[in-house]
Amino acid sequence: MPSTVAGPEIERLIQLLARLPGLGPRSARRAALHLIRKRETLLMPLAEAMRVAEEKIVTCSVCGNIDTRDPCSICADPGRDPSTIVVVESVGDLWALERAGAIRARYHVLGGVLSPLDGVGPSDLAIALLVARVAAGGVSEVILAVNATVDGQTTAHYVTDCLTEYPLKVTRLAHGVPVGGELDYLDDGTIAAAMRQRTAF
Amino acid sequence: MPSTVAGPEIERLIQLLARLPGLGPRSARRAALHLIRKRETLLMPLAEAMRVAEEKIVTCSVCGNIDTRDPCSICADPGRDPSTIVVVESVGDLWALERAGAIRARYHVLGGVLSPLDGVGPSDLAIALLVARVAAGGVSEVILAVNATVDGQTTAHYVTDCLTEYPLKVTRLAHGVPVGGELDYLDDGTIAAAMRQRTAF
């Protein structure tokens, strides 16, 4: 859109919206128009919610989660098992595990995965912080809930190596057939893993 | 996401983002995380751009376009032909025509199409305003650039009926094969229209 059509203010709004994941240039234009049309009910509340987020949201200094307090609600929750730490790549993965209600434990957000091609080394991730938490004692299990990608698995191996000197169990998520999944649509690696790790029925 | 995970502030941000067209609950979560990660470079500038939009953007009282001034830059542009009015359904369609650089004329945004099923009647659209513009004189052509949908064509017929008493040409966009389009993928109606309206080569 040439900026002469609707002025630089709208153009800037569109350009910033287009940088959100899931929105391209075309859907960013639609989103901007929608925002301007719903000024009272969406544009103003969203601007305010973003201002609040910008002001209040902090990264938890213990686990790397984001929250409005530090330590975060999960680290501060006395109802959670402090002896189990679930290691995840990102806050999004932490949320996914919480939505599933899979476990009531503590978390540790690495902030990414090791990726030599992208120049991400161990010092770029919160691995030293994890080792320090384990070294402080009281942790009996570390569950590696990293993604089942090559970089994720490399990172899992690296983290395991860093923890070998401590007396704890290091586990990882099971591979297998997704619940509701059909064998015909699954890749060979997943089927092979599901067969290897078959359980009693 | 249960609100206990990350607090009601983040939850509210996600819910508002999910109301943007093109974003669902899952992509809104990703967008919120992205915003929080890029606090300085995206969250703050976007909040500011939205505040500016909320404060400055107005609807043009002449044509219904949105801009930071009224009349809008297009209505105020002396380089545009004031005798031709292009009638569009929405500001998004106006932008699409401007991007294409199809014509240097004035516009008129109807704000929708006639749709009895959705309870949209002539008084809900800016049709009376269009008739008033035409009645004021100086308009020799009205181009109906409404979408080629049933409701769009109904609206085009209605607008044409409203303009019959004025001495002007009412035209509409040509139907035909999209540039770069393949016949095999086109619907029968479009092929038939393209054949009927064939031009000398």
Side-chain angles (χ1 to χ4, degrees):
Chain A
M1 196 192 78
S3 59
T4 49
V5 178
E9 292 85 358
I10 300 178
E11 181 63 11
R12 178 153 173 76
L13 179 62
I14 293 170
Q15 276 172 0
L16 288 167
L17 284 170
R19 286 172 50 197
L20 289 178
L23 290 184
R26 189 175 290 261
S27 46
R29 278 197 300 267
R30 264 204 302 274
L33 278 172
H34 189 76
L35 280 170
I36 292 165
R37 236 182 348 249
K38 308 259 175 186
R39 187 179 299 222
E40 304 290 323
T41 58
L42 189 54
L43 178 59
M44 288 166 66
L46 184 54
E48 173 64 14
M50 287 169 60
R51 203 194 53 73
V52 170
E54 191 253 307
E55 196 179 280
K56 290 199 178 172
I57 290 171
V58 290
T59 301
C60 175
S61 58
V62 178
C63 75
N65 187 17
I66 54 169
D67 202 342
T68 45
R69 52 174 168 157
D70 181 17
C72 73
S73 335
I74 292 178
C75 285
D77 182 355
R80 284 173 183 265
D81 177 10
S83 71
T84 303
I85 295 180
V86 182
V87 176
V88 291
E89 289 179 23
S90 67
V91 175
D93 292 345
L94 187 161
W95 289 357
L97 288 165
E98 283 294 302
R99 278 199 306 278
I103 194 166
R104 298 271 297 166
R106 304 289 169 86
Y107 290 90
H108 193 83
V109 181
L110 292 178
V113 281
L114 295 176
S115 176
L117 283 177
D118 297 325
V120 180
S123 61
D124 300 309
L125 306 179
I127 296 176
L129 213 59
L130 173 67
V131 174
R133 281 178 78 180
V134 169
V139 179
S140 61
E141 182 174 1
V142 167
I143 304 173
L144 299 170
V146 291
N147 291 326
T149 55
V150 171
D151 284 346
Q153 296 307 303
T154 308
T155 310
H157 283 294
Y158 184 88
V159 170
T160 310
D161 286 348
C162 294
L163 297 173
T164 41
E165 57 178 295
Y166 301 99
L168 50 78
K169 206 162 52 170
V170 178
T171 56
R172 63 165 190 179
L173 297 183
H175 287 306
V177 183
V179 176
E182 295 179 48
L183 291 185
D184 199 17
Y185 292 94
L186 274 179
D187 64 292
D188 300 346
T190 304
I191 293 181
M195 187 56 78
R196 266 198 314 277
Q197 298 172 30
R198 63 191 178 275
T199 54
F201 188 67
Chain B
M1 196 192 80
S3 58
T4 49
V5 178
E9 291 85 358
I10 299 177
E11 181 63 10
R12 177 152 175 78
L13 180 62
I14 293 170
Q15 277 172 0
L16 288 166
L17 284 170
R19 286 172 50 197
L20 290 177
L23 289 184
R26 188 176 291 261
S27 46
R29 278 198 301 269
R30 263 205 301 274
L33 277 172
H34 190 77
L35 280 170
I36 293 165
R37 236 183 347 248
K38 309 261 176 184
R39 187 180 299 222
E40 305 291 324
T41 58
L42 189 55
L43 178 58
M44 289 167 64
L46 184 54
E48 174 62 15
M50 286 168 61
R51 202 193 56 69
V52 170
E54 191 253 306
E55 196 180 280
K56 290 200 177 169
I57 290 172
V58 291
T59 301
C60 175
S61 57
V62 178
C63 74
N65 187 17
I66 54 170
D67 201 341
T68 45
R69 51 174 167 156
D70 180 17
C72 73
S73 336
I74 293 177
C75 286
D77 182 355
R80 284 172 183 265
D81 176 12
S83 70
T84 303
I85 295 181
V86 182
V87 175
V88 293
E89 289 179 25
S90 65
V91 175
D93 291 346
L94 187 160
W95 288 358
L97 288 166
E98 282 294 302
R99 277 199 305 280
I103 193 165
R104 298 271 299 166
R106 304 288 169 88
Y107 290 90
H108 193 83
V109 181
L110 291 177
V113 282
L114 294 176
S115 176
L117 284 176
D118 297 326
V120 180
S123 60
D124 299 309
L125 305 180
I127 295 176
L129 213 60
L130 174 66
V131 175
R133 281 178 79 180
V134 169
V139 179
S140 60
E141 181 173 3
V142 167
I143 304 174
L144 298 170
V146 292
N147 291 326
T149 56
V150 172
D151 285 346
Q153 295 310 302
T154 309
T155 309
H157 283 293
Y158 185 88
V159 171
T160 310
D161 287 348
C162 294
L163 298 174
T164 41
E165 59 180 292
Y166 302 98
L168 49 78
K169 206 163 50 167
V170 178
T171 55
R172 63 167 189 178
L173 296 184
H175 288 305
V177 183
V179 176
E182 296 180 47
L183 292 184
D184 199 17
Y185 292 93
L186 273 180
D187 63 292
D188 299 348
T190 304
I191 292 181
M195 188 55 78
R196 264 198 314 277
Q197 298 172 32
R198 63 192 177 276
T199 55
F201 188 68

